[in-house]
Amino acid sequence: MEVVLLGTGAADGWPNPFCTCESCADAARRGEIRGQTAALVDDVLLLDCGPEAPGAAVRHGRSLATVRHILLTHAHADHLGPQALLFRSWVAGGDELDVIGPADALDTCRPWVGPDDPVRFVPVEAGDSLAVGEYAVRVLPARHTVFRDGDAVLYDLSGPGGSRLLWACDTGMWPTEWFEAVRDARFDAVFLEETFGDRSELSEGHLGLPEFGTLVDGLRGAGAVTPDTDVVAVHLGHHNPPADILRKRLQQVDARPGRDGEVVHVGEGTPVVPHRTLVLGGVRSGKSRHAEELLASCPSVTYVATGGTREGDAEWAERVALHRERRPGSWSTVETVDVAEVLCTATEPLLIDCLGTWLTARLDIHGVWDGGDLDPVHSDVDELIAAWRKCAVPVVAVSNEVGSGVVPATSSGRLFRDMLGRLNARVAEASEAATLVVAGIPVSLKRN
């Protein structure tokens, strides 16, 4: 199953547009703007459909024209924007649409259906099982209410290829007996709300970070979450700590935050990412963070640090330590300038950070700064490009965008700028995807 996260934020999104707290300020500064949580499965099934979901689909390059099923968890306004049904009726020739959910949620939808629109309402409650097109759906209880117990549910969704996910938004903490309903489910992915961070006292109908960890542990104990399950935190709100701290807290329970627009390939082994991706950006642009996020759902990744070690450089050591801390514990690190060798022998996804330091090392090794011949460096670049093309695993490389600043004042600076610009162009040409990160915001340059 292909799952596009149309939004990963709480009802008010994150940052809250009226808030100036540290968490909201950090999210705004990074450009990590989260809309209301919803997801699109295989372009045919919506998991929740709040008022922001249709616009989010378009912004993320998706159409809802082929959607045939909507699974609603409950009638809270961020999960149910019934006006979408009216907008759909304005398009001629619509196919039949199943709207599935608790009876109260369906009652909210009925007045919004066009008179000739082929919409079929299917009320469900916890304990139901039904076929929804090619999908098998089990309806689970939620400790979350709109007006009464039972008017919110969760979904256990199995795809035609045997992949299986849990959509648990909004849920609250489960009583012990509820875990029996998912005993040995071995979900490929779990999308679990984590709304309140360390302010879990705000509502029993939502999870904070402690409850999130406890629920994941319960799912793990029941065999519903395995070491291969991708556990994704959604419905994230500004009561959470800033992004770097949140990632670390979630890593402690082998989970990660979802991000708006992310495509999660459920039940397909190693997540499908473009085979070769170049990420460009200026200093402190967020390029390394974006590269890490591209591979965040991979069970294991080899991080190739091309800068090596710098004895006695405390500032460099601090930078390296910060990078290490935010990477998942399942990632391994290789410090080397022999990037071509790593590319040719890799057996798991690679993140190479960065090509600028790699090129600097080659210029150092061949004594170019002291008037050495450039031909050996050109040979090294040719070898790197050949290995990049042959690499058998998904690989993301980070590099500096150096062509947009002032002209360097020294001849060595101009040489480095020109050579790195040419290297970036060659890597981009040999890649399926290239992205420029500006002020923390990724801008797609190429996607095959």
Side-chain angles (χ1 to χ4, degrees), residues 33-263:
I33 313 302
R34 299 175 188 272
Q36 296 164 348
T37 295
L40 176 63
V41 180
D42 296 334
D43 290 327
V44 300
L45 186 149
L46 274 172
L47 290 166
D48 282 323
C49 184
E52 296 180 352
V58 175
R59 283 191 295 276
H60 297 311
R62 300 294 175 130
S63 169
L64 301 185
T66 55
V67 168
R68 300 292 173 261
H69 321 285
I70 301 177
L71 299 184
L72 300 172
T73 56
H74 61 293
H76 276 149
D78 56 316
H79 294 262
L80 174 56
Q83 61 270 31
L85 296 173
L86 177 62
F87 304 153
R88 180 183 185 273
S89 74
W90 295 349
V91 177
D95 292 318
E96 185 171 275
L97 175 70
D98 293 329
V99 180
I100 300 160
D104 289 354
L106 302 189
D107 288 343
T108 302
C109 294
R110 295 180 198 278
W112 292 91
V113 176
D116 299 318
D117 203 15
V119 174
R120 184 169 68 103
F121 292 106
V122 182
V124 295
E125 58 185 25
D128 289 347
S129 296
L130 63 159
V132 178
E134 296 184 315
Y135 303 87
V137 175
R138 296 173 65 238
V139 185
L140 304 176
R143 193 178 174 189
H144 186 83
T145 59
V146 182
F147 295 113
R148 60 184 65 83
D149 290 344
D151 63 2
V153 298
L154 314 175
Y155 292 107
D156 171 356
L157 180 69
S158 296
S163 54
R164 190 172 182 182
L165 67 82
L166 174 63
W167 183 253
C169 182
D170 301 352
T171 176
M173 190 57 209
W174 289 14
T176 302
E177 60 270 19
W178 286 11
F179 291 98
E180 289 304 313
V182 293
R183 172 74 57 188
D184 296 324
R186 303 183 65 84
F187 290 111
D188 296 294
V190 169
F191 300 93
L192 180 62
E193 64 117 335
E194 193 287 287
T195 307
F196 283 133
D198 291 315
R199 296 294 311 280
S200 46
E201 81 281 358
L202 293 174
S203 171
E204 291 185 353
H206 285 294
L207 301 177
L209 278 165
E211 294 78 19
F212 181 94
T214 300
L215 207 157
V216 171
D217 285 344
L219 291 169
R220 191 171 285 119
V225 166
T226 75
D228 295 325
T229 303
D230 188 11
V231 181
V232 184
V234 294
H235 208 266
L236 299 162
H238 75 118
H239 293 293
N240 277 286
D244 283 345
I245 299 173
L246 176 62
R247 287 185 181 91
K248 276 191 248 184
R249 298 277 296 275
L250 290 172
Q251 284 173 16
Q252 293 172 6
V253 292
D254 293 325
R256 63 182 183 84
R259 67 181 190 277
D260 287 27
E262 178 182 357
V263 180

Side-chain angles (χ1 to χ4, degrees), residues 283-284 310-323:
V283 175
R284 297 296 190 185
R310 300 184 186 181
E311 295 296 332
D313 190 334
E315 189 270 341
W316 179 260
E318 182 180 1
R319 283 177 179 245
V320 171
L322 289 173
H323 275 253

Side-chain angles (χ1 to χ4, degrees), residues 12-32:
D12 52 347
W14 185 17
N16 179 306
F18 301 96
C19 184
T20 58
C21 73
E22 179 188 4
S23 178
C24 286
D26 176 74
R29 185 168 54 250
R30 297 171 182 275
E32 293 183 7

Side-chain angles (χ1 to χ4, degrees), residues 378 381-382 385 388-389 421-431:
H378 292 314
V381 171
D382 290 341
I385 297 300
W388 179 260
R389 292 182 182 276
R422 295 187 186 102
L423 173 60
N424 289 343
R426 291 188 65 183
V427 173
E429 188 275 330
S431 301

Side-chain angles (χ1 to χ4, degrees), residues 309-436:
T309 58
R310 300 184 186 181
E311 295 296 332
D313 190 334
E315 189 270 341
W316 179 260
E318 182 180 1
R319 283 177 179 245
V320 171
L322 289 173
H323 275 253
R324 283 183 180 272
E325 286 178 11
R326 75 180 185 221
R327 296 197 294 267
S330 60
W331 288 26
S332 59
T333 300
V334 173
E335 294 182 354
T336 182
V337 295
D338 193 357
V339 175
E341 173 68 17
V342 175
L343 286 167
C344 290
T345 59
T347 58
E348 66 181 18
L350 298 175
L351 196 162
I352 299 169
D353 196 355
C354 76
L355 295 181
T357 51
W358 175 84
L359 179 62
T360 300
R362 306 324 293 175
L363 293 167
D364 287 343
I365 288 168
H366 296 300
V368 171
W369 310 121
D370 300 320
D373 189 0
L374 279 173
D375 286 345
V377 181
H378 292 314
S379 296
D380 290 344
V381 171
D382 290 341
E383 182 185 15
L384 178 74
I385 297 300
W388 179 260
R389 292 182 182 276
K390 294 177 183 177
C391 186
V393 299
V395 56
V396 177
V398 176
S399 190
N400 302 98
E401 171 47 54
V402 292
S404 301
V406 297
V407 176
T410 64
S411 59
S412 59
R414 291 190 292 274
L415 171 66
F416 175 77
R417 177 203 61 182
D418 292 348
M419 292 200 69
L420 184 57
R422 295 187 186 102
L423 173 60
N424 289 343
R426 291 188 65 183
V427 173
E429 188 275 330
S431 301
E432 285 74 33
T435 299
L436 175 66

